[in-house]
Amino acid sequence: MSLSPYWLRDNCPCTGCRDPRNGQKLFQITDLPEGLAVAGSTEADGELTVCWSDGHESRYPLSWLEETAETSDGDGRTEQGRRLWAAADFSRGLPEADWSAYLAEPAERVAVLGAVRRFGFAVLRGVPVTEGKVLEVAESFGYVRETNYGRIFDVRVEADPNNLAFTSSAIAPHTDNPYRDPVPTLQLLHCLLSDAEGGDSGLVDGFKAAALLREEAPEAFGLLAGTPVPFVFRDRATELVAEQPLIGVDALGRIREIRFNNRSIGTLRGLPAAELDAFYAAYRRFAEITLRPELQLELRLGPGDCLIFDNVRLLHARTAFEQHGDRHLQGCYADLDALASTLAVTDRRLAALDALAELFEGEGAGEYLGEDVTMAQHMLQAGALAEAAGAPDHLVAAALLHDIGHFGGSGLELMKGTDNRHSHTGADWLARHFDPSVTEPVRLHVAAKRYLCAIEPAYRAQLSEASEYTLQVQGGPMDEAEAAAFAALPGAADAVAVRRWDDLAKDAAAATPPFADFRPLLMRVLNLTAGTSI
Amino acid sequence: MSLSPYWLRDNCPCTGCRDPRNGQKLFQITDLPEGLAVAGSTEADGELTVCWSDGHESRYPLSWLEETAETSDGDGRTEQGRRLWAAADFSRGLPEADWSAYLAEPAERVAVLGAVRRFGFAVLRGVPVTEGKVLEVAESFGYVRETNYGRIFDVRVEADPNNLAFTSSAIAPHTDNPYRDPVPTLQLLHCLLSDAEGGDSGLVDGFKAAALLREEAPEAFGLLAGTPVPFVFRDRATELVAEQPLIGVDALGRIREIRFNNRSIGTLRGLPAAELDAFYAAYRRFAEITLRPELQLELRLGPGDCLIFDNVRLLHARTAFEQHGDRHLQGCYADLDALASTLAVTDRRLAALDALAELFEGEGAGEYLGEDVTMAQHMLQAGALAEAAGAPDHLVAAALLHDIGHFGGSGLELMKGTDNRHSHTGADWLARHFDPSVTEPVRLHVAAKRYLCAIEPAYRAQLSEASEYTLQVQGGPMDEAEAAAFAALPGAADAVAVRRWDDLAKDAAAATPPFADFRPLLMRVLNLTAGTSI
């Protein structure tokens, strides 16, 4: 296997090279010496160990090396890895969900946000018909992007509109705010009232239209991708200009961003007539594709519907409506990056819950260090005791998960006389998902035993035989200074509480709730039912 | 002159083709017929008149045609039209201003915001050392961009930092948030406390560094501009990935955006070792350029200093500082587009004030329709009467400017018996800058005379001879229905007030304040002293 030395070294996963909490690199690329080379390497136990010419040593999982040999789908923003569509693709229904289900069920949120990533849109139904609610929808996955139209804008017939959107005219497919840079990448439209005839919404997949243009007229595609176009908006209080192509492609030529808005295309300057002719022919050709009936997905927003769509991919349109009928939408802008983050984190947390369930049901059914209960029973009982004591959610979670560090088959090592530091391993694993109110009591629950033994002789007296044995392995009771230092730590009191439930949770005769009973609580602790941005 | 027909027609300035308020086009490019051609054209009075094959007629100022033949500087975001710099360029001082002057003086704001556009940064001094103040600075020209770090973030030593920025380590030159797309284009850092040794800030012009790389190693430049790089940030609540090149160039190859952050560069995938070698060599070369001492602009932020800088152009750095010294900055992100808009609108409003001053001092010194005062005296007296009556600012402005439509040499036409609709021309001109509270009383002040003549016989009796004459030209007193409709208009009461001052403001013996006396009031009305986003 031939590997590029600087690339390989830049990806060293050791904790000296990378912050384990967020993966940020702790060195600069210029910190690496000239002529860096591999001095030696060995493969064993699924790892490649590299000794570097500057003395550093790095270990890479072989599975990681295999993965990185494959091309990635990128960041999910180009045409690659997205599903381009025509209207008929939704003949069986739109990507949609009920607002209350979306709030309550993380899996629904994953589906809705995933649809926005994949298809460029989704519809939420039953969003309360309340002014300003659209901001809450945006904040359920990201941040509102304020513009000259405000944090929120009203789309209804206005007496003195500063924008065609606020009249009753039909509006052809377009993207919004092309004169902004950065352009808002998401738009939300929440329907509050819709009594007017007409006023239907239409969506067109601009990536699909651009891909069709590339197929049918590659030169026209090249012209549109290669010509920066000034988009302009100017009113009494605003003067915006952004020069960007109609079809934005990335450095590898993949379609990444569509800006299409005839209303605000400014004047192309400094080009000879022949080039302008060619550009306009390409522009008209692209515009005609966006108007093809098979690309128009028509949808009528009724009160309570909230459409979320990708404003750098989808074009949206509106049929004309009766001036006298009432129609009122509220909209706001937001951005795709936060949506993608919320989606990924929700997914990751759901996966963590599943992984926990699997541990409790699989490995957790095994022996618990010579006690009469299994490891899973022990932890479930600790959680149940915390819950019965009226402990807050985070503390029930800590009690339930306090011994998670024993999993992975390492419990036996502790019995053999090595402190496996299971409290730290457990807390570190949990810290990928849970905040310190959960992880710190877990981290300190072993120390809490040493602390209690120091300050409460009666406590030590009632330890089980196994627990008295591990106390010695763990370092014995704290001395006075250690105990004072411990008591001052944030989370110490919670750790002591966890410890007491821990000690009690070894009753083979006690009824033990299944892990599933704790799932709703863990979902709350993981912010998976809050309906607010993670 | 050979002109491209579709281009020319797309730029037709007539009110049927474009909304005069905001320049938005009222037709779609596909509305134009196939084979559109010029049927005939004539040049006269500085205008090109084109008769189109579909019967439409367009008129283009020849000066506009000349302008558009020249290449534009684009939208001011690429290297073109910006001033690339090295540290020595600021040996005589930084672009900076005092916060209170920035708030009070629009010219200072133009200088500061212009520096951010041109050089990529500016420093405000004397910004009150108050938590949250940095948001106010951002809102003075634009909108705060919220991120996973919050609307506002604190930069100080933290116990459990999720980012290196919150430690006391030195940080090499970098841009922020490269893993966001859209990346925040502006950053603000407000120093609240700075007792620590070290912790100086450094700025490097990333455009300059990229231009040097292009000069010294064009292939390396091409590689960096042509390779999308994954930037990654992942913590408990966040998972962001953006794939963008280190040097972003536009469709014409001009440098437009720098993303440079070794900490968060993820793993390049799917590339053969030789390509990775070449990329890393180019990356290291670029990184070395950014470290050249002559490019490092060092500045030490003291309490009250607020640095505003372009986060897609400038790299910022920090020297290490003493863990035990206190250092506290507050920061936030914002975007360049709104800054550019505020700058342009401020400039435009200042130019409008200058134009008004010129009109009052030049043309306004001329005869006023047979009255004993000049046009300027008349308007200045009307303004003074409004002010003496304790009228609110917008109404004083309306009184002062009510006859502005007479300017441009058209007053004589009214005396010759044509209604020059000076109230409407004036209101329309003012509407480019003033809001309806000013423009509507101006628009209605002629109608107000016809209204008052209808409802107050005594009012008509006291009209001057000239005013009685113009009343007839303007249509005579309103009938009952007209008067009722008028009274229902927004601004009608204000228009009546303006009308009464108008009638009184013809006293050759009265002391008349100069236009300059009204400048502060007009600045308030134009939001030029508010220190809030326009």
Side-chain angles (χ1 to χ4, degrees), chain B residues 401-407 410 419-432 442-443:
Chain B
L401 303 172
H402 73 279
D403 270 347
I404 202 78
H406 277 313
F407 289 156
S410 60
D419 177 4
N420 74 347
R421 297 176 53 82
H422 79 277
S423 57
H424 287 272
T425 344
D428 287 346
W429 187 88
L430 293 172
R432 292 184 217 160
V442 171
R443 190 182 306 283

Side-chain angles (χ1 to χ4, degrees), chain A residues 23 45 73 108 183 268:
Chain A
D45 300 330
D73 264 0
E108 285 285 308
V183 59
L268 282 164

